[in-house]
Amino acid sequence: MLARTPPTLDALLRGLPASWTLAHEGGETWSPFDVMGHLIHGEQVNWIPRARIILTHGDARVFDSFDRLAQFTASAGRTLPDLLDDFARLRKANLRELGSLDLTDADLDRPGRHPELGVVTLRQLLATWVAHDLDHIMQISRVLARQYSDEVGPWRAYLRIISGT
Amino acid sequence: MLARTPPTLDALLRGLPASWTLAHEGGETWSPFDVMGHLIHGEQVNWIPRARIILTHGDARVFDSFDRLAQFTASAGRTLPDLLDDFARLRKANLRELGSLDLTDADLDRPGRHPELGVVTLRQLLATWVAHDLDHIMQISRVLARQYSDEVGPWRAYLRIISGT
């Protein structure tokens, strides 16, 4: 599943005009461009670094906090194709590193300590990595569809992605 | 956008084991396999056929009803890679046909008659085709993520795709 996210987002987003990739759901919500920056930051500081903390320190060392807004400075001035390339490259390297850890069932049950959630296991961290990817594929699909909230006219009633019901 | 859906779903689904592709959200909800059959049925009887009805008859002829459950018989015995291939092939042919219609702004404003929603325009039909694709990409992402509802442990609270909030 983790290897699928870069090509999935590439197929969905690469080459789209900025009117789609920079669009969001209003207020402080994120655009597809913002989400890509967030996914990149996760590859850099979240998933594998936290796995390494668990393997080295167990729950004796709390994870570093994750900055959910890091992409607003880190992505400044970059292009979406550049972010897609970066995400694919980082994910590939992280999956190679994950494979090289040769995790056993006992490793997967090792505990770590989340700054807000408390004790979690390495197994839960890896499952969350997968679900988090899917959460953001869902978010990007929703953000894109909602740009057509008015354009679909009466069909709005049938489109849960727009009506939210 | 319409050309992006087949490669997006291909990247997300092709080669996944049945434990993912046949999983659903309980009750009568749909699996990724069911959704692919529904998308195929739409290519066959919904979008382009309705566009043709609008162009030929305007709102004098009501659209045929769309069978939301057709895939449960049509997909029986088929494989997911086969459905992905079929969807890509049908979508490509339909986009070629859409291009060949050389639609003008006046065409896009032509009215049609939906059996439940009443008067709609060709422009709204085409926007709905796009949003409907994205709705089902969102649905498939959600169905996949929810298979990890328990596996993510305490992170469930942070994953809107699982918590539903």
Side-chain angles (χ1 to χ4, degrees):
Chain A
M1 291 297 303
L2 290 170
R4 289 164 185 272
T5 308
T8 299
L9 292 175
D10 207 276
L12 188 58
L13 297 176
R14 188 181 295 266
L16 277 183
S19 55
W20 286 104
T21 60
L22 299 182
H24 53 72
E25 297 170 278
E28 310 231 306
T29 63
W30 296 0
S31 68
F33 181 85
D34 297 331
V35 173
M36 288 311 306
H38 168 71
L39 290 172
I40 285 171
H41 193 60
E43 295 305 300
Q44 291 168 327
V45 309
N46 190 347
W47 310 108
I48 288 290
R50 285 182 171 184
R52 288 218 165 270
I53 288 173
I54 291 176
L55 291 170
T56 311
H57 305 283
D59 60 356
R61 186 186 144 191
V62 69
F63 300 151
D64 298 329
S65 291
F66 181 79
D67 180 2
R68 285 185 68 261
L69 304 176
Q71 68 273 17
F72 290 102
T73 46
S75 299
R78 301 187 64 185
T79 67
L80 185 74
D82 179 30
L83 297 184
L84 288 165
D85 288 342
D86 220 20
F87 177 55
R89 183 180 58 75
L90 289 163
R91 174 59 58 91
K92 187 173 264 183
N94 281 333
L95 290 182
R96 205 160 37 227
E97 181 160 353
L98 180 65
S100 77
L101 295 175
D102 273 327
L103 297 173
T104 62
D105 263 347
D107 289 330
L108 291 169
D109 287 331
R110 291 195 68 170
R113 187 169 298 274
H114 187 283
E116 285 104 34
L117 299 172
V119 173
V120 292
T121 66
L122 178 53
R123 192 186 300 276
Q124 289 166 342
L125 174 72
L126 299 180
T128 301
W129 195 1
V130 173
H132 179 267
D133 274 13
L134 292 164
D135 203 347
H136 287 295
I137 294 172
M138 180 173 107
Q139 176 185 23
I140 287 173
S141 307
R142 190 184 64 229
V143 172
L144 293 172
R146 287 191 172 172
Q147 306 313 309
Y148 271 11
S149 294
D150 294 332
E151 283 75 359
V152 298
W155 268 290
R156 182 188 174 96
Y158 288 181
L159 291 162
R160 287 185 297 173
I161 199 169
I162 288 175
S163 68
T165 60
Chain B
M1 291 296 304
L2 291 169
R4 289 163 185 275
T5 308
T8 299
L9 291 174
D10 208 278
L12 188 59
L13 297 176
R14 187 181 296 266
L16 276 183
S19 55
W20 286 104
T21 61
L22 299 182
H24 53 72
E25 298 170 277
E28 309 231 307
T29 62
W30 296 0
S31 68
F33 180 86
D34 298 330
V35 173
M36 288 311 305
H38 168 72
L39 290 171
I40 286 171
H41 193 59
E43 295 305 301
Q44 290 168 327
V45 309
N46 190 348
W47 311 108
I48 289 289
R50 286 182 170 184
R52 291 218 163 270
I53 289 173
I54 292 177
L55 291 169
T56 311
H57 304 284
D59 60 356
R61 186 185 145 193
V62 69
F63 300 151
D64 299 330
S65 291
F66 180 80
D67 180 1
R68 285 184 68 262
L69 304 177
Q71 68 275 15
F72 290 101
T73 47
S75 300
R78 300 186 65 187
T79 67
L80 185 73
D82 180 30
L83 297 184
L84 288 165
D85 287 343
D86 220 19
F87 177 55
R89 183 180 58 74
L90 289 163
R91 173 60 57 90
K92 188 174 262 184
N94 281 333
L95 291 183
R96 204 159 39 225
E97 181 160 351
L98 180 65
S100 76
L101 296 175
D102 271 328
L103 297 174
T104 63
D105 262 347
D107 290 331
L108 291 170
D109 287 331
R110 292 195 68 170
R113 189 170 296 276
H114 187 282
E116 285 105 34
L117 299 172
V119 174
V120 293
T121 66
L122 178 52
R123 192 186 300 276
Q124 289 166 343
L125 174 72
L126 299 180
T128 301
W129 195 0
V130 174
H132 178 269
D133 274 13
L134 292 165
D135 203 347
H136 287 295
I137 294 172
M138 181 173 106
Q139 177 185 23
I140 287 173
S141 308
R142 189 185 64 230
V143 172
L144 293 172
R146 286 189 174 174
Q147 306 314 310
Y148 271 10
S149 295
D150 294 332
E151 283 75 359
V152 298
W155 268 290
R156 183 188 173 96
Y158 288 0
L159 292 163
R160 288 185 298 173
I161 200 168
I162 288 175
S163 67
T165 60

